[in-house]
Amino acid sequence: MGDDAEVKLRSQQWFDNPDDPEMTALYVERYLNWGLSREELQSGKPIIGIAQSGSDLAPCNRHHVVLAERIREGIREAGGIAFEFPVHPIQETGRRPTASLDRNLAYLGLVETLHGYPLDGVVLTTGCDKTTPSQLMAAATVNIPAIALSVGPMLNGWHKGERAGSGTMVWRARKMLSAGEIDKAEYIEMVASAAPSPGFCNTMGTATTMNSLAEALGMMLPGSAAIPAVHKERGKAAYLTGRRAVEMVREDLRPSDVMTKKAFENAVVVCSAIGGSTNAPIHLNAIARHLGVELTNDEWEKLGYPIPLLVDLQPAGRFLGEDFHRAGGIPAVVAELLAAGALPHPDAVTVNGTSIGDNCAGRLTEDREVIREYGRPMVSEAGFRNLKGNLFASAIMKTSVISPQFRATYLSNPDDPDAFEGHAVVFDGREDYHARLNDPSLQIDEQSLLFIRGAGPLGHPGGAEVVNMDPPAELLRRGITELPCVGDGRQSGTSGSPSILNASPEAAVGGGLALLRTGDRVRVDLGTGEVNMLVDDEELERRRIEVDKALANGGLHYIPESQTPWQEIHRDLVGQFDEGMVLKPAVKYRDVARRHIPRDNH
């Protein structure tokens, strides 16, 4: 951070460079053709980009089209000039084969825009799941002053007098449909009831999680993550965010000043307290890597597992996004952690120039149903377990959503506490699972563990949300609603399944899941943090030879060919989930705005 006198605007290299009047004229000329004046462009006013994620293709972010007007007003009042531009759309529910495939593509596009155009700072318009990490990753790489604005969750959904959570209602209705309790028309009606307004998922899915963690990282104005999209406070937050973006340029306050190791450790703790999505480690690890900050899944467990669950929000609880906002949102959660001495770094700086401790101290909630006291939580140890063994080097399990039924069935043997064994039923990708789940020859019962592979960053490609698998219809009709699920894909943050997922390395690159066979005995031990197939070493070596031979001859039979150029490029360059699923060559590019002024184009 520097003083006003030390800050030289990047945009002046385009619009007011006395050493190169010819290029200055070229750049200025075209930006005047829609009504800007030369006086504005050469006034020394910061030019602030608005990275517009809203579009008809991205309905969860679409309200940013409206909010951008308030961002512009804030920028203008603070003495800046707004340049709005589109970013690559990412819509979790609309993109096939998975929106996760687009996170790194959107990151690349935004890096090039922020680096190559005359921008002094940027407002990141975040929202739907991958939108938030992609934009924070790009801001980390380029490192110009940046501040994020969440689009906010939808209003609470309702169905027959009960709160209907976006995402969580899907999983509930799907089980009812499979069990024959509702028909297809009722199924669609139930699912649609959960989305009553603009905004992202009103549950603690990946969208609410990642916007909450963006605030916990210090990249949003305090209290702005959880405001519902259509509330009046959301427009006010947009205005204040635009105004603050200009001030940050003048202060030279950059992402690397905010997203420090301290900030990431705070975010891990907050994630456990809010019951955050299992996608959070993938995305936070990715952002950290682009900053050169070390963050591993082992650290997620060490820092986050002991933290209690404080927020009673679906899928781990009962309430929805409006309730969370009214209860105080992230500032109230952080205040609770501060009061208990559980926030690691209260002194971590945020985008408003003040520490997270100063921003949130004393902002305790009065709604003790939605946000619990630290000493009276919903779950005492709510963080992720980072599991390891001969099936994978790292896989995440969300402990806050272990249901009483699941615990009673699988984790309550007094002679073998927090552990269970069963026989594996292996599916090769989502299509195989849907085609064969109800095949009686598989003999799926209460002692079965459902595995899905070929669903990771290379395998699907992009990493599909397919690990939260339902039991067969016959078991659902008998009241058995959960079986242990394991896979190298992801699952929706709106799912309440305690799956073991994000397994790394994935089957597509020869990870241990590629060696597994239906009928193998598997042991899961949460006490030791291990998951192992109980197969002798000689047999595993024989299988390893077969898998390696298949990989050398073009790949495993259940991994589909790339269908687009980006799918092939992504597969060639992407890393595994535990390391953030980043493009491996990209992490060497850091602080590029200060290291390089782009070459002129003529």
Side-chain angles (χ1 to χ4, degrees):
M1 292 179 285
D3 298 328
D4 288 359
E6 297 174 349
V7 177
K8 181 173 177 60
L9 298 178
R10 290 181 79 245
S11 59
Q12 289 178 300
Q13 295 288 334
W14 281 257
F15 296 141
D16 193 17
N17 184 358
D19 296 328
D20 197 340
E22 292 183 5
M23 289 307 304
T24 294
L26 182 65
Y27 296 132
V28 167
E29 174 257 352
R30 200 50 52 93
Y31 282 93
L32 302 182
N33 75 354
W34 53 276
L36 281 174
S37 68
R38 177 181 170 189
E39 288 74 22
E40 287 174 289
L41 293 180
Q42 295 185 328
S43 64
K45 294 180 178 180
I47 294 179
I48 308 298
I50 301 174
Q52 179 57 266
S53 65
S55 73
D56 291 353
L57 279 177
C60 288
N61 293 351
R62 195 182 186 281
H63 197 56
H64 272 309
V65 175
V66 176
L67 294 172
E69 293 302 315
R70 291 294 284 148
I71 299 172
R72 283 178 174 274
E73 289 171 1
I75 291 170
R76 174 65 69 174
E77 181 172 296
I81 300 171
F83 275 23
E84 186 177 346
F85 60 89
V87 296
H88 185 83
I90 312 179
Q91 175 59 37
E92 190 64 40
T93 57
R95 173 66 156 103
R96 299 167 69 174
T98 170
S100 185
L101 187 64
D102 277 355
R103 190 202 68 179
N104 289 339
L105 183 57
Y107 155 79
L108 285 177
L110 186 52
V111 165
E112 293 301 317
T113 301
L114 297 182
H115 180 241
Y117 281 89
L119 300 172
D120 301 304
V122 64
V123 174
L124 310 170
T125 63
T126 63
C128 188
D129 301 14
K130 316 300 181 295
T131 310
T132 305
S134 68
Q135 294 193 20
L136 291 177
M137 288 158 59
T141 294
V142 181
N143 205 28
I144 62 173
I147 183 171
L149 176 72
S150 166
V151 77
M154 293 181 276
L155 298 177
N156 289 358
W158 295 90
H159 181 72
K160 294 185 177 179
E162 296 183 356
R163 286 177 175 81
S166 47
T168 56
M169 181 58 84
V170 172
W171 318 125
R172 176 184 170 192
R174 184 177 292 175
K175 286 181 169 61
M176 294 174 68
L177 180 66
S178 297
E181 298 173 15
I182 57 174
D183 60 25
K184 291 180 180 179
E186 291 172 304
Y187 172 78
I188 294 173
E189 181 181 347
M190 285 184 66
V191 174
S193 71
S197 79
F200 54 67
C201 289
N202 50 26
T203 51
M204 189 55 74
T206 304
T208 297
T209 298
M210 289 310 303
N211 284 277
S212 296
L213 297 187
E215 184 177 324
L217 278 171
M219 289 297 291
M220 284 184 186
L221 293 179
S224 65
I227 304 168
V230 296
H231 276 209
K232 64 181 181 181
E233 293 121 337
R234 175 57 60 200
K236 179 180 177 181
Y239 165 78
L240 293 175
T241 297
R243 196 169 71 179
R244 181 58 191 157
V246 178
E247 296 167 351
M248 289 175 66
V249 170
R250 290 176 175 146
E251 296 167 12
D252 200 24
L253 180 61
R254 298 175 182 247
S256 60
D257 300 316
V258 176
M259 292 192 288
T260 61
K261 179 70 171 181
K262 288 182 177 181
F264 282 101
E265 291 184 351
N266 284 343
V268 168
V269 168
V270 169
C271 188
S272 296
I274 64 176
S277 165
T278 49
N279 291 300
I282 299 171
H283 299 318
L284 250 67
N285 291 1
I287 300 164
R289 289 199 67 193
H290 285 294
L291 286 158
V293 174
E294 183 177 358
L295 184 64
T296 67
N297 286 348
D298 283 334
E299 290 177 277
W300 275 88
E301 178 172 294
K302 179 181 178 181
L303 292 165
Y305 180 67
I307 300 299
L309 176 62
L310 304 181
V311 177
D312 189 344
L313 210 67
Q314 297 181 26
R318 300 168 292 163
F319 296 101
L320 294 173
E322 278 189 84
D323 309 304
F324 182 45
H325 168 59
R326 288 171 179 157
I330 291 301
V333 174
V334 172
E336 199 66 38
L337 294 168
L338 286 167
L343 189 76
H345 306 290
D347 60 333
V349 72
T350 73
V351 287
N352 70 352
T354 305
S355 73
I356 189 171
D358 288 342
N359 286 337
C360 301
R363 296 178 66 170
L364 297 168
T365 185
E366 295 181 2
D367 188 337
R368 287 302 183 182
E369 279 197 275
V370 177
I371 301 177
R372 307 292 182 86
E373 294 179 61
Y374 192 90
R376 297 180 180 179
M378 295 179 63
V379 178
S380 59
E381 294 174 318
F384 304 128
R385 292 305 307 268
N386 183 32
L387 304 173
K388 305 177 182 181
N390 62 10
L391 283 166
F392 36 73
S394 174
I396 294 295
M397 184 179 190
K398 183 175 177 178
T399 60
S400 63
V401 292
I402 296 176
S403 68
Q405 178 185 347
F406 190 95
R407 187 170 293 281
T409 303
Y410 299 107
L411 300 172
S412 298
N413 183 348
D415 298 323
D416 195 12
D418 291 327
F420 59 93
E421 294 183 13
H423 63 273
V425 179
V426 183
F427 298 103
D428 294 335
R430 69 165 304 281
E431 293 81 7
D432 186 38
Y433 160 70
H434 286 289
R436 294 197 300 127
L437 174 64
N438 292 300
D439 184 345
S441 69
L442 293 177
Q443 298 183 330
I444 299 174
D445 59 22
E446 297 92 325
Q447 303 304 311
S448 301
L449 284 77
L450 305 184
F451 284 82
I452 192 165
R453 62 190 178 192
L458 282 80
H460 190 70
E465 293 188 341
V466 294
V467 180
N468 46 323
M469 296 171 280
D470 285 337
E474 177 59 30
L475 293 188
L476 289 172
R477 285 190 284 268
R478 288 166 44 198
I480 299 169
T481 60
E482 292 180 301
L483 291 176
C485 300
V486 187
D488 58 8
R490 303 176 297 109
Q491 75 180 30
S492 170
T494 65
S495 170
S497 170
S499 306
I500 298 170
L501 63 161
N502 306 351
S504 307
E506 62 181 303
V509 296
L513 287 174
L515 309 183
L516 189 66
R517 302 288 184 269
T518 292
D520 287 346
R521 295 288 295 177
V522 175
R523 176 175 173 80
V524 177
D525 191 331
L526 298 187
T528 63
E530 294 187 0
V531 180
N532 290 294
M533 47 184 161
L534 305 180
V535 179
D536 65 67
D537 292 342
E538 184 176 339
E539 172 62 14
L540 286 180
E541 181 58 30
R542 186 187 68 78
R543 296 181 187 179
R544 168 59 63 194
I545 292 171
E546 291 179 0
V547 168
D548 288 347
K549 183 178 179 180
L551 290 171
N553 291 331
L556 303 171
H557 70 275
Y558 49 86
I559 305 302
E561 294 181 354
S562 295
Q563 297 174 330
T564 65
W566 171 240
Q567 290 185 17
E568 180 175 342
I569 294 167
H570 189 270
R571 281 172 154 160
D572 286 345
L573 300 178
V574 77
Q576 292 295 293
F577 279 141
D578 61 333
E579 295 183 336
M581 200 188 75
V582 297
L583 300 174
K584 289 179 280 189
V587 297
K588 67 185 178 186
Y589 294 92
R590 296 174 189 155
D591 203 16
V592 297
R594 281 193 286 205
R595 292 177 59 200
H596 308 290
I597 293 294
R599 298 173 69 184
D600 283 312
N601 58 24
H602 282 71

